[in-house]
Amino acid sequence: MSASMSHGANAEPNLTPMLDMVFQLVTFFMLVINFKGAAMDLSLKLPVVGSARPVDAKGKEELLVLNIDHEGQLKVYGEPKPDVKGYIAEEARSYVAAAKQKDGNFQTGDSLPAIVVIRADQATPFELLNRVIKTCQDHGFQDFALKAMNRPQ
Amino acid sequence: MRRRRRKAPGDVELNLAAMLDMAFQLLAFFIFTFKPAPVEGQLLLHLPPAQAVTKVAANPNQPGGRSAAPPPAEMNALMLSVLSASSGDVGALKFGTSVLFQGPANKNSLARLDKKLKEALASPTSPFDQVTLQIGPKLRYSELMKIVDVCLKQQLPDGKPLTKISFVELPSGADL
């Protein structure tokens, strides 16, 4: 750069306030980001039940989120799972292994320390829903959370 | 008037432009991945393992001649049968063996169910500690949730809320 140019009007913007503002925005988005949202299939129309309560895990931190569409197809993290029994059995095995590691007295066949969160479309017939619930029960899951909306969207 | 500080020859100035670039990239990432989740509620249930229903009595009033099995005596479960219409709505609801209402589950019919359940469950002499729902296979999930919602509002004689509910699927001939 020539010396004559550097002696001209030096108009460098002060970037500090802009950086402050951007960091505040970044902080906001970091706080409101919801990684669990990826487990939800937002194309499903949940039923509306006025008394549905917000999520309460009852001390059980493990949630197995199962999305079931109106044709009874199981989707987990957006991926269809045609082999429902195989998938649930695999999940149950991993929960059993984790429970045994945590609690030495845990026996195979005990109620698994996880809540099965069922997100089913409001038009899903019971026979298709019941297949999934029954498979979960057969593999030791006993606590279920049936998802619904508090008010119509 | 503010006096501008004169730069000392050894002053080090941080170049904020690079940091700002990075912050903008982070911001762009968070903006593009931001998807506000809908506010969902849930009904918590303790579903004991399914019990085998062994006694299936023939019922001439039902199409196909089949009906729900009576509850085994040792279960202490109050039996509700929810028959489904072909549209997936509630066709009829049986409280034990008697029909409580026929037709869709509307505000009035659900209020009747609520009243009947209160009478059966909250009484100090009530033998019931759980509810077994026998459900028609075509019943839509939204209709099922209406019935489950009424059940979960009930209290047992000890004041604890009812959370034990079992689902049993009725044979397809039991639908209306």
Side-chain angles (χ1 to χ4, degrees):
Chain A
M1 191 184 280
S2 69
S4 60
M5 277 179 80
S6 64
H7 283 298
N10 195 356
E12 266 186 19
N14 185 4
L15 296 179
T16 314
M18 193 186 281
L19 193 62
D20 283 351
M21 190 202 66
V22 171
F23 270 125
Q24 283 194 26
L25 283 170
V26 169
T27 312
F28 167 76
F29 282 107
M30 278 174 74
L31 290 177
V32 297
I33 198 165
N34 181 12
F35 289 108
K36 283 183 182 172
M40 297 194 289
D41 181 357
L42 297 178
S43 65
L44 297 177
K45 281 187 180 174
L46 298 187
V48 180
V49 177
S51 64
R53 297 274 170 271
V55 176
D56 171 19
K58 277 188 163 177
K60 293 188 176 182
E61 290 171 7
E62 301 291 342
L63 300 177
L64 175 61
V65 182
L66 304 177
N67 299 285
I68 305 165
D69 68 9
H70 65 283
E71 290 172 340
Q73 190 178 47
L74 176 68
K75 278 187 185 172
V76 180
Y77 284 95
E79 199 183 317
K81 300 280 179 191
D83 181 13
V84 177
K85 283 185 183 173
Y87 174 73
I88 290 172
E90 194 183 314
E91 288 293 316
R93 271 196 296 275
S94 68
Y95 283 123
V96 167
K100 277 184 176 170
Q101 228 173 20
K102 207 172 174 182
D103 176 13
N105 296 327
F106 186 88
Q107 307 255 322
T108 308
D110 286 354
S111 170
L112 291 176
I115 297 178
V116 179
V117 178
I118 303 246
R119 295 185 76 255
D121 192 279
Q122 57 185 0
T124 311
F126 176 71
E127 58 186 336
L128 302 177
L129 180 72
N130 195 37
R131 262 182 228 163
V132 178
I133 292 177
K134 207 164 171 310
T135 310
C136 291
Q137 286 174 324
D138 292 344
H139 288 91
F141 294 101
Q142 289 193 10
D143 290 308
F144 291 80
L146 303 182
K147 285 280 186 180
M149 305 301 292
N150 299 84
R151 51 177 173 260
Q153 288 259 302
Chain B
M1 197 173 134
R2 262 176 75 186
R3 282 177 60 190
R4 194 162 183 165
R5 213 158 42 115
R6 217 178 237 193
K7 264 189 210 168
D11 264 4
V12 178
E13 251 187 31
L14 268 178
N15 183 6
L16 294 181
M19 197 183 277
L20 192 62
D21 281 352
M22 191 202 66
F24 268 122
Q25 284 195 22
L26 278 172
L27 183 62
F29 167 76
F30 283 114
I31 287 174
F32 287 128
T33 56
F34 180 63
K35 203 187 284 175
V39 183
E40 290 180 2
Q42 63 184 10
L43 299 181
L44 270 177
L45 293 178
H46 181 73
L47 296 178
Q51 301 279 331
V53 177
T54 51
K55 295 176 189 171
V56 180
N59 184 348
N61 299 328
Q62 298 270 340
R66 285 185 288 182
S67 76
E74 66 277 10
M75 269 179 65
N76 295 335
L78 179 63
M79 190 71 76
L80 293 182
S81 306
V82 189
L83 306 183
S84 55
S86 55
S87 60
D89 290 333
V90 175
L93 190 138
K94 284 185 180 177
F95 194 92
T97 52
S98 59
V99 176
L100 185 65
F101 66 81
Q102 284 194 320
N106 53 29
K107 209 174 170 183
N108 288 339
S109 51
L110 291 175
R112 282 172 64 193
L113 173 64
D114 185 42
K115 192 181 167 197
K116 196 86 177 163
L117 281 172
K118 275 196 174 77
E119 287 169 9
L121 291 169
S123 145
T125 55
S126 168
F128 305 116
D129 63 356
Q130 63 175 296
V131 169
T132 297
L133 290 173
Q134 298 192 111
I135 302 160
K138 300 284 177 235
L139 190 77
R140 276 185 283 119
Y141 179 54
S142 54
E143 298 296 298
L144 169 67
M145 288 295 271
K146 288 180 190 171
I147 307 289
V148 171
D149 183 36
V150 175
C151 292
L152 289 180
K153 284 178 187 164
Q154 307 307 316
Q155 286 196 333
L156 298 173
D158 58 4
K160 288 181 184 166
L162 172 77
T163 54
K164 279 187 190 176
I165 295 181
S166 335
F167 295 140
V168 177
E169 188 179 331
L170 285 170
S172 53
D175 281 338
L176 285 182

